Amino acid sequence: MQRTAAIFGVEGIALTDWERGFLHEAPPFGFILFARNIDMPDQLRRLTDSLREITTAATPILIDQEGGRVQRMRPPHWRDYLPALDQMARARDPLRALWVRNRLIAADLMAVGITANCAPLADIATPQTHPVLRNRLYGTDPQTVIAAARVCAEAHLHGGVLPVLKHIPGHGRATMDSHLDLPRVDASRATLSQTDFAAFRALADLPMGMTAHVVFSDIDPRGPTTTSASMIEVIRKDIGFDGLLMTDDLSMQALSGTVTERSQAALAAGCDVILHCNGDRAEIEAVTVAAGPLSPQAERRATHVLTYAKAPRHIDIPALEAELETLLA
């Protein structure tokens, strides 16, 4: 059966009868989980197992587990982490500390059947970056961000977890929260190519990426990257990213129109997969129809993504926990 060009959230801590039936008949490329789906480790493992029972054993299951504010799995069952920018400033060896942190995160995810994480972030922090994003980032210059994002991605792959590079081609200059409003960036294309885009260009070999709901007015003043053919061309040709390109959540208020219109516009612009997170039944049905099956190019990229899914390499978790504590002391 062909896979729908979508990644869906589900409603709660266990699948409903409707979800079991509908998502079995029209299986999406993958799923994404949120705090509403998480109670304790055994429950979470049952949920991920059931998602694969109705699709395939290889279906990617994603989460946003950056650490800091964006962390769906939290104490008492899972570790808490500093915001990434704070950890980078505090650690004795920032890159080693970031690797250890993300390798521990990968171990937590694999233990409950989650196989992809929406990280690293290659957005560059500026004094104007909106607070919803700023302390989630790794640095204020391309070189620091590139090195840190590479370390984060490698730690995930070492642990058997697929990294998702975000927010292509860069969200750091946005002064508005795209969950609520549509940010506009007025920097010139030349400036962006040397800074924000350069960070993503250096990481373009990663298997999956997520768009930014941001307007770059010097390139396409009419619409955000997610629904802009001109901006997707920048991602594919200027940045050189040929991985599977998913939208940021289509439920966010940065985008206009119905979920059907948003889905159609994103796919027409050149995105491979729609990300729809809120678990709403009517919207899932609408996105499924609007998205249709993966295109041949998206199918090629989706198949290539799965070649990155390797068995996790062994680590000594208590030793890494102790090392991170020492690095942050």
Side-chain angles (χ1 to χ4, degrees), residues 3 22 33 137 153 165 181 189 191-192 195 201 228 256 271 282 284:
R3 293 174 289 181
F22 184 84
L33 301 181
L137 307 184
L165 179 64
D181 299 289
R189 180 168 186 161
T191 297
L192 291 165
T195 53
R201 193 178 298 121
S228 166
S256 60
C271 293
I284 288 173

Side-chain angles (χ1 to χ4, degrees), residues 246-323:
M246 55 193 272
T247 71
D248 203 345
D249 181 17
L250 285 200
S251 304
M252 292 162 64
Q253 297 309 303
L255 303 181
S256 60
T258 66
V259 291
T260 293
E261 293 166 338
R262 296 176 185 189
S263 300
Q264 291 170 337
L267 294 172
C271 293
D272 294 314
V273 174
I274 301 303
L275 177 65
H276 181 271
C277 295
N278 66 23
D280 179 82
R281 173 176 175 170
E283 291 191 5
I284 288 173
E285 291 174 336
V287 171
T288 297
V289 173
L294 290 167
S295 71
Q297 274 196 320
E299 187 67 57
R300 172 184 64 80
R301 294 179 178 125
T303 300
H304 184 62
V305 162
L306 298 181
T307 68
Y308 284 77
K310 309 293 187 184
R313 294 163 66 179
H314 174 73
I315 55 168
D316 183 334
I317 289 176
L320 287 182
E321 289 175 324
E323 181 183 359

Side-chain angles (χ1 to χ4, degrees), residues 32 176 296:
I32 187 165
M176 303 173 77

Side-chain angles (χ1 to χ4, degrees), residues 58-252:
T59 297
I61 298 177
L62 293 77
I63 197 167
D64 288 292
Q65 189 73 358
E66 300 171 11
R69 279 186 301 106
V70 179
Q71 185 171 329
R72 315 305 186 194
M73 298 159 57
R74 289 191 172 274
H77 301 294
W78 296 279
R79 304 170 194 84
D80 224 343
Y81 295 95
L82 291 170
L85 197 61
D86 296 346
Q87 179 175 306
M88 290 290 288
R90 177 172 168 177
R92 296 182 189 178
D93 182 341
L95 293 182
R96 175 61 185 175
L98 194 64
W99 188 93
V100 173
R101 163 202 182 108
N102 284 286
R103 184 61 186 87
L104 290 170
I105 288 173
D108 285 342
L109 300 185
M110 284 297 288
V112 292
I114 296 171
T115 53
N117 194 12
C118 296
L121 291 75
D123 310 298
I124 298 170
T126 75
Q128 290 76 41
T129 301
H130 193 279
V132 77
L133 180 65
R134 192 176 194 281
N135 72 355
R136 297 161 54 193
L137 307 184
Y138 307 142
T140 58
D141 62 88
Q143 294 73 27
T144 299
V145 170
I146 290 164
R150 178 65 67 183
V151 160
C152 175
E154 289 175 350
H156 280 86
L157 290 167
H158 190 279
V161 174
L162 296 168
V164 179
L165 179 64
K166 65 185 187 186
H167 305 83
I168 305 177
H171 211 303
R173 293 178 187 266
T175 60
M176 303 173 77
D177 178 1
S178 57
H179 293 86
L180 305 174
D181 299 289
L182 177 58
R184 298 184 67 90
V185 169
D186 295 325
S188 71
R189 180 168 186 161
T191 297
L192 291 165
S193 185
Q194 293 167 9
T195 53
D196 302 63
F197 298 175
F200 288 93
R201 193 178 298 121
L203 299 157
D205 59 299
L206 294 181
M208 298 176 68
M210 177 190 291
T211 63
H213 294 334
V214 176
V215 172
F216 294 89
S217 59
D218 193 38
I219 303 171
D220 184 354
R222 295 168 298 176
T225 295
T226 302
T227 56
S228 166
S230 298
M231 289 307 306
I232 302 301
E233 184 176 19
V234 167
I235 292 170
R236 295 302 191 192
K237 294 184 178 178
D238 181 357
I239 290 172
F241 180 78
D242 191 41
L244 188 79
L245 186 63
M246 55 193 272
T247 71
D248 203 345
D249 181 17
L250 285 200
S251 304
M252 292 162 64

Side-chain angles (χ1 to χ4, degrees), residues 21-44:
F22 184 84
L23 297 171
H24 174 67
E25 292 299 318
F29 167 73
F31 297 98
I32 187 165
L33 301 181
F34 289 86
R36 68 176 183 268
N37 306 120
I38 296 166
D39 183 18
M40 59 185 61
D42 288 348
Q43 165 271 324
L44 186 50

